[in-house]
Amino acid sequence: MTTTATATTATTATATDRVELRTGTDWTPVCDWAALVPGRGVAVLLPDGRQAAVFRDHLGRVHAVANRDPFTGAYVLSRGLLGSTPDGRVYVASPLLKQRFDLLTGACLDDDTVRIPVHSARIGSAQPPAAARQHHPAGPAHRGRNGAARGRV
Amino acid sequence: MTTTRPTVLLVGYGMVGHRFLEALADSGAADRHRVVVLAEEPRPAYDRVALTSYFSGRTPEDLLLGEDGFLDRHGFELHLSSPAASIDRAARTVTTADGRTFGYDTLVLATGSYPFVPPVDGRDAEGCFVYRTIEDLRAIESYAAGAKTGAVVGGGLLGLEAAGALKGIGLDTHVVEFAPRLMPVQVDEGGGAALRRTIEEMGVTVHTGVGTRTVLVSAEGRATGMGFTDGSALDTDLVVFSAGVRPRDQLARDCGLTVGERGGIAVDENCRSSDEHVFAIGECALAVDGRVYGLVAPGYEMAATVARQLAGQDPRPFTGADLSTKLKLLGVDVASFGDAFGSTPGALDVVYSDSRAGVYKKLVVSREGALLGGILVGEADQYAALRPLTGTGTPLPVPAESLVLPTGLAAPAALGGSALPDDAVVCNCHNVTKGLIRGAVTEQGCGTVPEVKRCTEAGTGCGSCLKLIGSIVTEELAAGGVEVDRGLCPCFAHTRAELYEIVRVRGVTTHRQLLAEHGRLRGEGCEICKPTVASIIASLAPELPAVSGHILDGEQAALQDTNDHFLANIQRNGSYSVVPRIPGGEITPEKLIVIGEVARDFGLYTKITGGQRIDLFGARVDQLPQIWSRLVAAGFESGHAYGKSLRTVKSCVGSTWCRYGVQDSVAMAIRLELRYRGLRSPHKLKSAVSGCARECAEARGKDFGVIATSSGWNLYVGGNGGATPRHADLLAQDLSDQELIRLIDRFLMFYIRTADRLERTSTWLERLDGGLDHVRDVVVHDSLGLAAELERQMAGHIAGYQDEWAATLATPDRLRRFVSFVNAPGVPDPSIRFTPERDQVKPDLAVLATVEELLRPLDTVPRLSEAR
Ligand SMILES: Cc1cc2nc3c(=O)[nH]c(=O)nc-3n(C[C@H](O)[C@H](O)[C@H](O)COP(=O)(O)OP(=O)(O)OC[C@H]3O[C@@H](n4cnc5c(N)ncnc54)[C@H](O)[C@@H]3O)c2cc1C
Ligand code: FES
């Protein structure tokens, strides 16, 4: 389940740039770069119904992990605060019971036996506005688990 | 079944009796005996040493010694209001005044002392009192309500304490001492003179070298004055006799036990009386060294001696004790220790005396320079360090004269713990040596003073040794290579209070800047420092340049914990709860209906909180703005249940409706809640206002509590409910509305400025150097000259207050965050579901248990618009 994450340095990202997560062989755009506040996250719904938590750290890198907090089962990791350890690992602290998860590996820093899934994330360049509009609201709610569009819009 | 176990009968349940029961329980002897206790007083043992604090607001319940359920847990049988009247040693029975008879195998007498009242005419008149029990103090309190002048007979330790109490309840106070100086037993002439000057300056009149010949009595039998041996007289409404105590040995005398010539039940070094089945401990016993000890510590040692024997452990004989004392009498520190009068052959003394400042210090040393004893009046900080050195025979580590000079003059002669040998007794109350304290640090892993207190009991008595314990702990940790990290978190080496000062003085406006300029790590920050710094900046926002007062603006938004970020309280399934402010717990029917309608329309679980408001549970983040736009439209404001800030000010219904109420507690509670709403602080703040002394609002369990009196308000601070309950301490009394508010303004701002992260006012008060006294000095007497600034800061807060929810609803940018998914704003979070319980809902936790569970129904997840 664990994939190695790619933390993308986004020093050149602009507000209209897209954050994309790898889903199978595709890259799925999930939000505008501008929607991310440094040090915090947002929740996104993936085409197969999974929830991911997407973060922007203080160096402008994006990270994505599963949104589910394994300790409580609640889908809340996107609402945790980011921090970094003395050796520079960036983590998110669950807003419920405060366990910390390394954003690069998914490893729980407070319990060796626990690990959460990590998604590859990147900054895609801005797409033509029309295409973006088409892509964006065609959100996961309208797709089956296999990712095929249902065309219920 | 109890008949098979030998019976221990304890007569007298005072301080020493209680310690005896504790020692029985600790040693395991409690299980092997049936233990029966006969108590004369109507309540279990209480802290007599702290008796006078009754006048500063501690209730009899506060003064009780054992924790709740102590007696039951150990199966001790207690008979209150059951004084023993006679002992039949042959039958081994004791009969109470009301005629019940109890058998014993071992009898322990702990009957204490009675106050000695000199045989003067009129001593039984109405208005004459003694000072020993809670009942005595209650009687004095109610009689004093109609009195103007009070006189204390006796200028010793207890007499001065009683005089302080009379002064405190507003009487014009006199002290009459037969000896030529005050405290003749503890201090010499010079010390007595320094003490007298300071006490007179406080407005207490001191008469020394005169005896009381008579109490003058009116026709109705009330005391009206006193006549003295020198022929002079004094008008007074009330007389307190405090001319020493006598051991209560009548029971022992009557049954033929040996008693001393001047009283006291004679015991051997194992505290056994002339009958092998009878022990005597505490103030009623005449110890083997021929002395009756009128202090609590020697009594505690005797209690342990007897308990050890009953437990079958090696006896630890009691052969005598140190009479050293340090007290604060009428605010003057007085300490006397070792050979205070220099009666050892060849003793020399070093004296410093400053009558202007009321300071007198004398050290008695041997020819070789070893410390033999001393007297300290007016400034006794060194007592804790000097007493353990006394009598050890080792020459002082610094010249004796440097120890008596005032701090700041000559060489600073701070005597730390390092000067002490291991067997020096650091805590006199509990007989704890320096070696034991070091062991607690090195072997039992104690790293702080509270841990050492728990582990060794050191410092849990009078507290005079706490500073010294602190320095021993620090020295020991340093010697062990342990660095004490006071830093807030891995990112900052500073405490919260230090960061507050940096932000305030440097005008730092962001966490990024603070981390870059003052952090020890240069990374992201962390989940500890981000919200802490956000709270500091929010508290100081009115005086920082270019900081918005709204916690969701600018960098602030990135620093807040999820609760502050969504202005609601996260619950276990990721949903949130909503608490509108209901100031003082007062609400109109119309507003109640709105809350009901909102809860019904959004399917929220509702519960009344302990803070007199209503909590609505189970909202998704995307519902919060909709819920709040209805609440704001109906006139509600954020209740800040999510913030480290003022929660509620509870109130009872007060004088408007209640037949007992003496002030309008509801109006005051509303006023306070509206004044301090939204104030960000190191931890949550709770408050309450009670309309009379019945205290229905439970104000003394709050961070700041207000209780009405017939002439105004009493302000209590530092209370706490929860896991470690603490009764709030009286800060000031009989305040007008304005005085009350001014003191609360200062108190809160001083707390915000100096407390650690997540430190409630209760722990803050206990941690601060000087504790309540220090806070009172700063807040009431403005000893740091801070009051005006603290008040100005509070005024800034009040002027800048805005309702966070109304302000959020008005700004699209702040509202953007309230979606379940950024890439599907109309889709509700499918993981938040509910099942029915007792006609309402509860979180469906089954849906959270596995990942797959949620994926399946995704196709059918309705869009938000369809859902509602
Ligand atoms: C105002 C005040 C301040 C003090 N300050 C200090 C201080 O700073 N430092 C210090 O070391 N000491 C101080 N003391 C002294 C200290 O309180 C006593 O040393 C201590 O209480 C002695 O404990 P005890 O158990 O021997 O006696 P007590 O605490 O007096 O207990 C004896 C109990 O036995 C009961 N009793 C008596 N006869 C009978 C009977 N026949 N049957 C049943 N019960 C009976 C009494 O009612 C009482 O409850 C102070 C005392 C007072 C009054
Ligand atoms: S000396 Fe009193 S508590 Fe330690």
Side-chain angles (χ1 to χ4, degrees):
Chain A
M1 192 69 193
T2 312
T3 35
T4 327
T6 345
T8 313
T9 309
T11 37
T12 55
T14 61
T16 50
D17 280 348
R18 278 295 155 89
V19 177
E20 299 176 345
L21 299 197
R22 169 117 78 194
T23 44
T25 53
D26 295 340
W27 286 93
T28 305
V30 291
C31 65
D32 287 350
W33 170 247
L36 296 178
V37 175
R40 291 213 88 97
V42 296
V44 302
L45 202 49
L46 297 177
D48 62 0
R50 278 184 293 163
Q51 295 189 19
V54 180
F55 302 96
R56 169 176 167 186
D57 70 18
H58 71 288
L59 296 176
R61 297 172 300 191
V62 276
H63 305 270
V65 296
N67 193 27
R68 184 172 180 270
D69 170 11
F71 289 93
T72 57
Y75 289 71
V76 295
L77 290 185
S78 60
R79 302 184 204 144
L81 284 174
L82 296 198
S84 60
T85 61
D87 58 3
R89 285 184 289 169
V90 175
Y91 62 81
V92 61
S94 167
L96 282 173
L97 300 175
K98 310 292 178 208
Q99 291 91 354
R100 299 164 304 153
F101 302 92
D102 186 324
L103 290 182
L104 278 186
T105 65
C108 176
L109 301 178
D110 302 295
D111 184 341
D112 288 346
T113 64
V114 178
R115 185 178 277 269
I116 54 170
V118 178
H119 296 273
S120 300
R122 70 175 189 193
I123 313 291
S125 56
Q127 301 183 2
R133 230 176 288 127
Q134 224 173 40
H135 214 106
H136 203 48
H142 312 287
R143 293 183 167 215
R145 258 158 104 188
N146 53 9
R150 287 263 158 131
R152 226 180 64 187
V153 176
Chain B
M1 63 156 250
T2 45
T3 47
T4 56
R5 292 182 298 169
T7 300
V8 173
L9 183 61
L10 170 67
V11 173
Y13 189 27
M15 297 190 73
V16 172
H18 179 73
R19 172 50 63 92
F20 171 69
L21 295 182
E22 280 181 344
L24 277 186
D26 287 348
S27 67
D31 303 335
R32 280 183 268 141
H33 295 87
R34 171 176 176 237
V35 180
V36 181
V37 185
L38 298 183
E40 175 186 57
E41 292 189 65
R43 60 175 59 77
Y46 54 89
D47 190 350
R48 204 178 303 286
V49 169
L51 192 62
T52 300
S53 64
Y54 171 82
F55 285 123
S56 52
R58 282 180 78 186
T59 63
E61 290 69 48
D62 296 340
L63 288 168
L64 292 184
L65 284 174
E67 77 273 31
D68 276 352
F70 166 75
L71 295 165
D72 289 345
R73 199 163 48 252
H74 298 289
F76 297 148
E77 220 177 281
L78 171 64
H79 301 270
L80 292 173
S81 306
S82 304
S86 64
I87 301 171
D88 182 340
R89 291 203 282 133
R92 280 199 228 149
T93 59
V94 171
T95 303
T96 59
D98 59 5
R100 283 170 297 156
T101 298
F102 295 83
Y104 66 81
D105 296 281
T106 302
L107 176 63
V108 179
L109 299 174
T111 48
S113 312
Y114 65 90
F116 170 67
V117 178
V120 297
D121 290 342
R123 63 186 179 151
D124 295 325
E126 212 181 313
C128 290
F129 300 92
V130 294
Y131 200 86
R132 174 103 196 154
T133 66
I134 288 177
E135 274 60 40
D136 293 338
L137 268 59
R138 282 195 160 148
I140 292 173
E141 186 181 38
S142 66
Y143 197 83
K148 267 183 57 204
T149 309
V152 177
V153 178
L157 188 159
L158 281 184
L160 292 183
E161 193 161 319
L166 295 188
K167 185 97 190 53
I169 51 181
L171 297 187
D172 184 7
T173 306
H174 296 258
V175 175
V176 184
E177 169 59 50
F178 183 67
R181 62 172 184 275
L182 292 173
M183 286 188 74
V185 182
Q186 287 85 5
V187 307
D188 60 8
E189 222 182 293
L195 192 59
R196 175 179 187 139
R197 256 187 312 274
T198 318
I199 289 177
E200 284 182 333
E201 253 163 48
M202 291 172 196
V204 174
T205 315
V206 178
H207 313 256
T208 52
V210 289
T212 305
R213 214 187 31 175
T214 174
V215 173
L216 309 170
V217 187
S218 71
E220 301 82 49
R222 289 171 163 254
T224 57
M226 296 159 76
F228 298 123
T229 44
D230 64 358
S232 62
L234 169 73
D235 286 343
T236 182
D237 309 316
L238 184 153
V239 180
V240 176
F241 287 103
S242 183
V245 295
R246 298 286 183 270
R248 293 187 70 171
D249 54 13
Q250 197 59 42
L251 276 176
R253 276 175 202 273
D254 292 347
C255 68
L257 289 173
T258 309
V259 296
E261 216 169 281
R262 282 180 305 168
I265 306 165
V267 295
D268 65 11
E269 57 180 21
N270 293 326
C271 299
R272 211 180 281 267
S273 72
S274 53
D275 177 336
E276 61 167 334
H277 300 290
V278 183
F279 293 90
I281 56 179
E283 287 195 343
C284 65
L286 173 65
V288 70
D289 64 349
R291 283 154 95 170
V292 172
Y293 287 92
L295 292 173
V296 75
Y300 281 178
E301 278 183 57
M302 296 185 214
T305 298
V306 176
R308 286 181 73 88
Q309 291 170 76
L310 293 176
Q313 297 162 345
D314 297 338
R316 199 182 283 152
F318 178 86
T319 52
D322 185 5
L323 281 177
S324 305
T325 33
K326 176 181 171 207
L327 320 135
K328 206 180 187 98
L329 290 168
L330 292 138
V332 190
D333 282 322
V334 180
S336 157
F337 52 97
D339 178 10
F341 294 94
S343 47
T344 313
L348 306 167
D349 55 25
V350 182
V351 179
Y352 170 84
S353 166
D354 178 353
S355 50
R356 295 160 308 174
V359 174
Y360 175 85
K361 298 180 183 185
K362 177 173 92 172
L363 296 184
V364 180
V365 291
S366 72
R367 231 178 271 285
E368 295 72 37
L371 186 63
L372 298 173
I375 295 169
L376 307 169
V377 175
E379 204 182 278
D381 288 351
Q382 283 148 327
Y383 169 76
L386 289 173
R387 189 194 43 71
L389 279 174
T390 308
T392 55
T394 28
L396 282 168
V398 292
E401 58 275 21
S402 69
L403 291 169
V404 295
L405 287 174
T407 19
L409 259 190
L415 273 182
S418 55
L420 297 176
D422 262 356
D423 58 359
V425 176
V426 169
C427 175
N428 210 21
C429 291
H430 293 280
N431 199 16
V432 183
T433 60
K434 177 183 168 193
L436 269 172
I437 293 171
R438 285 185 43 202
V441 176
T442 54
E443 277 144 44
Q444 282 155 288
C446 300
T448 62
V449 173
E451 282 166 13
V452 169
K453 277 166 87 173
R454 225 171 297 131
C455 178
T456 64
E457 286 207 310
T460 56
C462 68
S464 71
C465 57
L466 282 175
K467 244 192 179 142
L468 184 59
I469 296 177
S471 74
I472 295 175
V473 171
T474 317
E475 280 165 22
E476 212 47 45
L477 288 174
V482 183
E483 242 186 78
V484 194
D485 185 356
R486 294 158 49 248
L488 173 70
C489 64
C491 314
F492 286 100
H494 309 82
T495 62
R496 179 196 170 277
E498 288 163 349
L499 291 178
Y500 180 98
E501 284 308 311
I502 295 174
V503 171
R504 190 178 67 84
V505 176
R506 304 264 165 94
V508 177
T509 55
T510 64
H511 173 266
R512 274 281 104 226
Q513 184 192 350
L514 193 65
L515 190 65
E517 291 171 7
H518 301 278
R520 55 179 156 184
L521 292 180
R522 289 288 182 274
E524 177 71 43
C526 73
E527 73 282 11
I528 296 170
C529 58
K530 284 179 174 179
T532 306
V533 172
S535 158
I536 293 174
I537 292 174
S539 297
L540 286 168
E543 49 196 284
L544 291 176
V547 170
S548 151
H550 199 284
I551 63 161
L552 298 186
D553 286 352
E555 193 214 34
Q556 285 263 335
L559 304 177
Q560 309 291 351
D561 269 326
T562 187
N563 284 359
D564 279 304
H565 191 239
F566 288 112
L567 308 169
N569 290 46
I570 196 168
Q571 304 297 333
R572 61 186 301 170
N573 66 339
S575 67
Y576 288 78
S577 81
V578 167
V579 187
R581 185 168 297 291
I582 301 179
E586 181 183 89
I587 186 166
T588 61
E590 287 72 24
K591 281 186 152 183
L592 262 182
I593 289 168
V594 171
I595 291 186
E597 285 173 348
V598 167
R600 184 193 56 209
D601 295 352
F602 289 87
L604 305 175
Y605 167 78
T606 54
K607 174 137 190 6
I608 312 275
T609 71
Q612 301 186 333
R613 40 195 198 171
I614 300 171
D615 207 340
L616 313 173
F617 290 80
R620 292 188 317 267
V621 283
D622 47 77
Q623 293 175 314
L624 291 171
Q626 305 163 36
I627 291 172
W628 270 103
S629 53
R630 288 182 52 181
L631 292 173
V632 167
F636 284 105
E637 289 186 352
S638 164
H640 292 102
Y642 47 81
K644 303 282 179 260
S645 53
L646 179 79
R647 297 287 166 86
T648 67
V649 181
K650 249 174 98 162
S651 67
C652 67
V653 74
S655 58
T656 318
W657 291 88
C658 175
R659 63 201 153 123
Y660 300 115
V662 293
Q663 304 282 349
D664 186 352
S665 48
V666 178
M668 180 52 81
I670 294 174
R671 187 163 169 197
L672 295 178
E673 184 157 344
L674 295 182
R675 185 170 181 86
Y676 303 121
R677 63 188 162 179
L679 179 67
R680 289 299 198 276
S681 56
H683 209 312
K684 61 187 169 193
L685 286 168
K686 296 185 177 182
S687 178
V689 181
S690 279
C692 78
R694 277 160 215 263
E695 242 286 69
C696 296
E698 297 169 328
R700 294 195 60 196
K702 306 296 179 195
D703 295 283
F704 60 103
V706 178
I707 302 178
T709 68
S710 47
S711 48
W713 306 98
N714 284 356
L715 172 59
Y716 294 83
V717 295
N720 198 1
T724 44
R726 180 181 193 278
H727 254 57
D729 294 309
L730 182 68
L731 187 73
Q733 42 191 340
D734 290 327
L735 305 165
S736 67
D737 290 7
Q738 281 70 22
E739 290 167 336
L740 174 72
I741 283 170
R742 175 157 6 104
L743 290 190
I744 300 176
D745 282 2
R746 296 177 185 175
F747 171 78
L748 291 177
M749 276 303 173
F750 185 52
Y751 162 67
I752 290 173
R753 174 178 283 225
T754 54
D756 270 342
R757 163 183 177 265
L758 298 188
E759 187 174 46
R760 289 291 294 270
T761 55
S762 55
T763 21
W764 170 71
L765 257 189
E766 303 233 320
R767 173 183 60 87
L768 273 193
D769 233 1
L772 178 70
D773 287 340
H774 177 58
V775 171
R776 187 180 289 120
D777 284 347
V778 174
V779 171
V780 183
H781 307 303
D782 194 16
S783 62
L784 299 182
L786 271 181
E789 183 179 342
L790 299 175
E791 287 174 32
R792 188 177 48 68
Q793 286 183 321
M794 188 60 87
H797 161 74
I798 294 160
Y801 170 81
Q802 50 176 341
D803 172 29
E804 277 163 8
W805 261 111
T808 302
L809 292 172
T811 318
D813 203 41
R814 293 174 186 152
L815 278 174
R816 266 197 326 156
R817 77 199 59 206
F818 292 93
V819 291
S820 289
F821 304 106
V822 269
N823 62 338
V827 180
D829 182 347
S831 72
I832 294 183
R833 291 210 226 134
F834 301 94
T835 56
E837 173 150 287
R838 293 190 296 277
D839 301 330
Q840 297 203 60
V841 296
K842 67 171 184 182
D844 180 356
L845 297 179
V847 79
L848 303 178
T850 61
V851 188
E852 283 67 30
E853 185 73 17
L854 267 178
L855 295 180
R856 235 177 294 118
L858 191 68
D859 300 344
T860 54
V861 168
R863 294 193 60 102
L864 202 59
S865 49
E866 298 162 21
R868 291 236 157 83

